[in-house]
Amino acid sequence: AQSVTQLDSQVPVFEEAPVELRCNYSSSVSVYLFWYVQYPNQGLQLLLKYLSGSTLVKGINGFEAEFNKSQTSFHLRKPSVHISDTAEYFCAVGPLWRGSQGNLIFGKGTKLSVKP
Amino acid sequence: SAVISQKPSRDICQRGTSLTIQCQVDSQVTMMFWYRQQPGQSLTLIATANQGSEATYESGFVIDKFPISRPNLTFSTLTVSNMSPEDSSIYLCSVEDDRYEQYFGPGTRLTVT
């Protein structure tokens, strides 16, 4: 079984400042890792994913995340945030072997609030 | 990528009634998923719906309460039956492509009074 922990429920930050949203996971099997963003009153949009290969993954809107297997972490970063980045961010994990139960386990989300 | 639409986008229903939510995808997909997002909470998988077979429900969810249809590779419905205020949530459908990416619909915001 897998589980995901997002360590911060809310992160306030000023515009143009850097931000890191933390995500830790646990799993008894190899996993895929994802970050999704949910803007107010909208569905989820995939920001980036890690399947294999380079541990630094670049996504849309200037976000990137680094997979750290030894620390079982997949933290999301952006060097300079904009007001438009205000949203809720979800980390998710899925089993590497999908079989017939390919589903994602989501963290509880981190609300990023960017202030002018 | 896949484009997913859901109907209705929102609804207010009385307790004891049922609501059927539709999910339409712009391409053929094998795996479709239904999630629930309760207020202030994360997403919880309700069931996996594959075309041509019975839906597979997660622990805590049963077919009598959340019947699902999957008549073809582009469409699915989720019914929330005999609703109570605890069913007030956002219900989202998603599809998975062959790169293990899931695409989500905009969600159906349900309020039960």
Side-chain angles (χ1 to χ4, degrees), chain A residues 54-75:
Chain A
S54 172
T55 57
L56 183 62
V57 180
K58 293 189 183 298
I60 62 172
N61 301 340
F63 284 93
E64 64 181 31
E66 185 159 18
F67 171 60
N68 188 319
K69 188 174 182 179
S70 62
Q71 296 185 6
T72 60
S73 68
F74 191 54
H75 300 333

Side-chain angles (χ1 to χ4, degrees), chain A residues 36 38 41 49 98 102 107, chain B residues 33 37 42 96 101-102 109:
Chain A
Y36 285 85
Q38 186 177 35
N41 299 315
K49 66 181 180 184
R98 291 305 186 97
Chain B
F33 305 92
Q37 186 178 21
S42 186
E96 184 177 275
E101 292 186 14
Q102 283 198 25
R109 188 178 297 269

